[in-house]
Amino acid sequence: MFNSLGNPAVDSAAALLFADFATGHTVHLSGTAVLEWSPDGSGGDEGGTGRRVRSTSAARPTAPAHHDTHTASGPPPTAQEGLTAMNEPTPESNGRTRLAYILGVPLAPEVERQWPQMGEVVRGSKLIGEVEGNFPELTLEVGRRLRLDDDVIVVEWTCDYGDGRLYRNVTIAELRDGRAVQVTDYWGEPTSTPPWRRPLTARLDMPGDGIWKDHDHLGHH
């Protein structure tokens, strides 16, 4: 920390991960960090350095990706067993779990999925499944699907990566012979209305069971 105090001045994003090696559970803290200069010995300056890092964060508890195999009468896993279980690879999606559910149509083996926000493309249903498999905590639900002719589908849907924030997304798919061959995702990261816009806009009516779902209407797919 003290060898990298300049980092928060450049990028305030910060995160900490606490692991319980005996159970495989983790707690992920993510938020922002700000470097503050203060008189030596002031509150929070335990090291007497005249500086401290103030952080704001939100906790995200994570259950282990495995099922406990010991019984109440048996011994708990050792620390090494817990660490091994935490690092076990997540079973990969077959490429038909989330994206095909979102679209409501199967994926062609050669399908391409584009993310313009990151300048990325994933080619092939197998690789799409491998990417999906890295987000086991993600929950989602479709708000509505719009079918344009026979070769285009537009989907409005909501997801939560597990940190409680609702992303509002739009996915467009081009079809060939009833299968998706090219998909483009536009992800709507949650944000708040800046003060200057409030007099100009009204609040959107978003019932939790409508097009834009709330947490109670999301599930694992």
Side-chain angles (χ1 to χ4, degrees), residues 82-132:
L83 179 60
T84 300
M86 286 175 60
N87 290 308
E88 289 178 351
T90 303
E92 74 173 40
S93 159
N94 62 9
R96 300 177 57 212
T97 53
R98 295 189 187 130
L99 184 55
Y101 175 81
I102 291 167
L103 297 175
V105 298
L107 308 181
E110 71 278 10
V111 60
E112 288 192 358
R113 190 176 191 181
Q114 302 178 358
W115 292 294
Q117 299 92 324
M118 294 178 287
E120 291 181 342
V121 59
V122 181
R123 295 184 172 93
S125 57
K126 184 177 186 301
L127 288 181
I128 289 175
E130 291 183 12
V131 172
E132 288 185 354

